[in-house]
Amino acid sequence: MLHCPRTVAFVFIVLWLMLPAQPPAAAQAACAGAIPIAEARARPLDTDVTVVGTVSVPTGVFTDGQSFALQDAGGGIYVYAGRGVGQALAAGDTLCVSGRLAEHHGLREIVPGNPAQVIRLGAGAPPAPQVVQPGQVGEATEGRLVQLSGPVSRLSERRFRVGGTLIYLTERLGLSIAGLQNGCPATVSGLSADYDGAQVWPRSQADIRPGACSVAASPAVTIAQLQGATTATPYDAETNFGRLTGCVTGVTGSVHSLAPVTTPSG
């Protein structure tokens, strides 16, 4: 009989590499029953899970409580810790976290029930964001730090899009959109999250980096063209218009209403 030890060894290595990333041995010893975060995310809601990971978003960033984000080599998850549950944590801290699996507006979370379920195992370097394309932000990246680049659109005070992906600015952080322009490039880092749809939450102003750009003014248009032939304007989200001429017919707050200028006959 012909034996092929090298082939058997190769198949074994391939199968081993396909297994979910396991917590380090030392962390497993200190955190009995820990499973990879990706495996925990896939379990049914209301299941009790235990994971080991590194803090990617420290406490006190998105809420004034002790919630945070945690990730390992294969996945990430948000940990919702109410007041009195958990402790102040820094990015890079290694934790053992146990709790109930829940979901809030589409965001998968672990909810610890008491302080003993959040155990700090040590400190380390904060994880680096995973570079992704805007279209890749979704369930596969949720709970992890990501970085994406692309053109800015639908720019407003609290939200905008980069390459079509929604960027949401948490009000309590006071983040500024200074330097951003519709149509110009930007690079954004933050937590890949979900609130009734995939989005990215920057952690600080340093997570928002406008790119160099010079946008020419849109060609001159008439008021009728701006309004469009239907209820949807063809210029939605455009901001760089040239001069628009008309008569002011009304003012409500900072909104001015214009009507076309007509020349009397005769």
Side-chain angles (χ1 to χ4, degrees), residues 186-204:
T187 296
V188 173
S189 301
L191 180 69
S192 176
D194 193 308
Y195 195 92
D196 300 329
Q199 49 196 263
V200 173
W201 298 348
R203 300 157 296 171
S204 69

Side-chain angles (χ1 to χ4, degrees), residues 5 11 47 57 66 79 82 92 109 117-118 129 143 146 168 187 193 197 203-205 209 218 223-224 236 238 264:
V11 172
T47 299
V57 179
Q66 294 175 321
V79 180
E109 303 174 332
Q117 290 186 303
V118 180
V146 296
Y168 178 78
T187 296
R203 300 157 296 171
S204 69
Q205 195 66 48
R209 293 181 286 162
S218 299
I223 293 177
D236 184 33
E238 293 288 339

Side-chain angles (χ1 to χ4, degrees):
M1 177 180 288
L2 180 64
H3 296 281
C4 302
R6 292 185 178 179
T7 301
V8 173
F10 175 75
V11 172
F12 175 79
I13 292 172
V14 170
L15 292 175
W16 179 78
L17 290 173
M18 293 174 65
L19 293 174
Q22 299 295 320
Q28 279 187 310
C31 193
I35 60 176
I37 291 177
E39 183 178 332
R41 291 182 58 88
R43 294 197 174 182
L45 296 179
D46 292 323
T47 299
D48 289 328
V49 297
T50 297
V51 298
V52 171
T54 302
V55 174
S56 57
V57 179
T59 51
V61 174
F62 297 132
T63 70
D64 59 2
Q66 294 175 321
S67 300
F68 55 92
L70 194 71
Q71 66 181 63
D72 61 15
I77 197 163
Y78 196 66
V79 180
Y80 179 78
R83 292 183 181 276
V85 177
Q87 54 191 291
L89 300 167
D93 283 349
T94 301
L95 307 178
C96 172
V97 176
S98 300
R100 177 177 54 86
L101 199 63
E103 192 167 275
H104 181 68
H105 285 274
L107 180 65
R108 191 61 59 100
E109 303 174 332
I110 294 176
V111 183
N114 59 71
Q117 290 186 303
V118 180
I119 303 172
R120 185 176 180 273
L121 302 176
Q130 175 187 358
V131 178
V132 299
Q133 296 299 316
Q136 294 176 310
V137 175
E139 184 64 29
T141 61
E142 186 184 305
R144 297 178 61 88
L145 290 182
V146 296
Q147 176 181 296
L148 62 155
S149 300
V152 174
S153 62
R154 302 188 185 183
L155 183 62
S156 65
E157 185 178 352
R158 292 277 302 282
R159 65 187 68 206
F160 58 93
R161 292 181 181 269
V162 170
T165 295
L166 177 62
I167 311 298
Y168 178 78
L169 307 182
T170 305
E171 184 176 10
R172 70 188 307 274
L173 296 178
L175 302 181
S176 169
I177 59 172
L180 297 174
Q181 294 185 66
N182 283 319
C184 288
T187 296
V188 173
S189 301
L191 180 69
S192 176
D194 193 308
Y195 195 92
D196 300 329
Q199 49 196 263
V200 173
W201 298 348
R203 300 157 296 171
S204 69
Q205 195 66 48
D207 277 341
I208 304 172
R209 293 181 286 162
C213 182
S214 177
V215 178
S218 299
V221 295
T222 65
I223 293 177
Q225 290 173 324
L226 186 64
Q227 291 174 326
T230 65
T231 56
T233 173
Y235 295 95
D236 184 33
E238 293 288 339
T239 59
N240 296 289
F241 287 107
R243 185 174 61 187
L244 189 65
T245 303
C247 290
V248 176
T249 59
V251 177
T252 303
S254 61
V255 178
H256 293 64
S257 301
L258 291 178
V261 175
T262 57
T263 304
S265 58

